[in-house]
Amino acid sequence: MDTKEKKTTILRLVIFCILAYLPLYVITPILNNMCGELIYSESRNEYTNMVNYIYGFFFMFTPSLAQVITRLFTKEGFKNAYLRLNLKGNIRYYVASIVVKLMADFAIIFLIWAIFIDGISFRITFLTGDWQAKAYYFFFYLGRSILIIFLPAFGEEWGWRGDMMPKLMKLMPKSLAIIVGGIIWGLWHAPLTISGHNFGTDYKFYPWLGILFMCTFCILLNAFLTFLTERTKSVYPAAFCHAVNNGMGAMLLLRIFAVPTALYKMPYVPNIVLCLVRLPILAIIALVSYLLLIRKEKEK
């Protein structure tokens, strides 16, 4: 990459980040003030619930909107915008985008059982009960995630993985690009984290610990999502994975598959602690994704 192209790429990244960040950093505090409470607090009223539901749908489109404006303003065009399906030879990555995330969440609920559910065996906790009902709820929520949450998930992924990450990987090594991209993505969530999103507010060092955990989580997930996007040259597998991540999650799977007796025995655990349980599993997926991502490059 020559100096002129490098400067142009940096300029496009800066414009993109400013445009992606501005709506959340400006609108979120205004909504908190309008509602008279944090919009993602646990003790919110019906009006706040309506506000955060609508806001939660639309704010996910800001990275894509930022990308479109940046591409038009800088005359980049949409030639390499990762919008093709590219299904030929890549079906396995589409399947992996859903299956790997679900396998990770099942591994996480096993850890949650091992750490927090005391006195009830794994067989009784998960392998008993009405399996027909469990299967129904599992496929219902999985289908809901893919059908309903896919569109806003695409709104994020087209911006982060379809635009930001390819540019970062032109400017720096892939390992550093994944870290930098994950931090940018994590800090983008900061106004939401401050408002109680994901972790609530009942933890020590609020909100700084939540922001740190969000950046860590985003770095790890960024490795897998970038791997899917780069291997397929398409943003859709990452969007499917993002939809499943937002719509399912280990705690929902725990409520579906664990018997009520086990759930009653589980003590209250702050979300920030549950996030800590997730990190080892996500770290393994991130490492494998990164090694697979650079393998082709080394072969060349």
Side-chain angles (χ1 to χ4, degrees), residues 190 193-195 199-200 203-213:
T193 304
I194 293 169
S195 301
F199 310 115
Y203 56 91
K204 288 184 178 181
F205 309 115
Y206 160 83
W208 307 110
L209 186 60
I211 293 171
L212 175 63
F213 270 32

Side-chain angles (χ1 to χ4, degrees), residues 27-299:
I27 296 173
T28 307
I30 293 173
L31 291 179
N32 286 334
N33 187 57
M34 281 175 51
C35 294
E37 61 180 341
L38 298 177
I39 57 173
Y40 290 102
S41 63
E42 293 184 3
S43 58
R44 53 186 181 263
N45 57 42
E46 289 186 9
Y47 174 72
T48 306
N49 278 334
M50 180 187 69
V51 169
N52 73 42
Y53 180 81
I54 296 172
Y55 184 50
F57 181 86
F58 284 104
F59 78 70
M60 293 179 71
F61 289 96
T62 56
S64 283
L65 182 60
Q67 177 192 184
V68 171
I69 295 172
T70 303
R71 284 178 180 267
L72 292 175
F73 179 73
T74 62
K75 299 180 180 179
E76 181 181 3
F78 296 88
K79 185 178 180 181
N80 300 312
Y82 287 75
L83 286 176
R84 294 180 181 274
L85 283 170
N86 294 334
L87 291 173
K88 188 176 180 181
N90 291 320
I91 295 295
R92 62 186 184 276
Y93 296 112
Y94 278 83
V95 173
S97 69
I98 297 173
V99 172
V100 170
K101 183 65 186 63
L102 289 175
M103 288 175 62
D105 285 333
F106 278 112
I108 290 164
I109 66 172
F110 177 80
L111 285 179
I112 291 172
W113 165 80
I115 297 170
F116 300 112
I117 300 178
D118 184 37
I120 302 181
S121 71
F122 185 83
R123 181 182 64 80
I124 294 174
T125 302
F126 295 108
L127 302 182
T128 56
D130 187 348
W131 271 91
Q132 186 175 355
K134 290 179 179 182
Y136 168 79
Y137 283 114
F138 170 73
F139 285 109
F140 170 78
Y141 282 107
L142 179 62
R144 188 197 67 165
S145 301
I146 294 173
L147 293 175
I148 298 177
I149 308 176
F150 174 80
L151 191 58
F154 169 83
E156 274 200 56
E157 290 306 315
W158 191 37
W160 304 128
R161 256 58 63 180
D163 185 72
M164 177 185 72
M165 286 308 300
K167 288 181 170 63
L168 284 175
M169 287 189 290
K170 286 182 181 178
L171 296 170
M172 59 190 73
K174 284 185 172 65
S175 55
L176 185 57
I178 288 170
I179 294 170
V180 172
I183 292 171
I184 292 172
W185 185 26
L187 291 178
W188 176 78
H189 289 87
L192 307 175
T193 304
I194 293 169
S195 301
H197 191 50
N198 288 319
F199 310 115
T201 58
D202 60 335
Y203 56 91
K204 288 184 178 181
F205 309 115
Y206 160 83
W208 307 110
L209 186 60
I211 293 171
L212 175 63
F213 270 32
M214 194 66 201
C215 288
T216 305
F217 172 79
C218 286
I219 290 169
L220 298 177
L221 191 56
N222 187 33
F224 182 53
L225 296 175
T226 300
F227 164 72
L228 292 173
T229 305
E230 288 302 308
R231 278 299 176 89
T232 60
K233 298 300 178 184
S234 171
V235 75
Y236 301 108
F240 280 120
C241 182
H242 198 140
V244 173
N245 177 74
N246 285 22
M248 292 291 289
M251 288 308 296
L252 176 58
L253 291 173
L254 186 65
R255 288 196 294 271
I256 291 174
F257 288 100
V259 296
T261 308
L263 293 177
Y264 293 145
K265 284 219 170 197
M266 182 176 171
Y268 169 74
V269 183
N271 287 340
I272 199 83
V273 176
L274 292 174
C275 177
L276 187 61
V277 174
R278 298 167 68 188
L279 291 182
I281 304 297
L282 295 176
I284 293 170
I285 295 173
L287 178 61
V288 172
S289 299
Y290 171 70
L291 293 175
L292 291 173
L293 183 64
I294 64 173
R295 188 178 67 177
K296 273 193 174 181
E297 193 175 283
K298 285 186 174 181
E299 287 174 354

Side-chain angles (χ1 to χ4, degrees), residues 4-42:
K4 184 180 179 181
E5 186 182 355
K6 186 176 181 179
K7 287 182 178 179
T8 302
T9 302
I10 293 172
L11 175 64
R12 286 168 175 161
L13 270 173
V14 170
I15 295 172
F16 165 78
C17 288
I18 291 172
L19 293 175
Y21 269 57
L22 267 178
L24 264 70
Y25 276 74
V26 172
I27 296 173
T28 307
I30 293 173
L31 291 179
N32 286 334
N33 187 57
M34 281 175 51
C35 294
E37 61 180 341
L38 298 177
I39 57 173
Y40 290 102
S41 63
E42 293 184 3

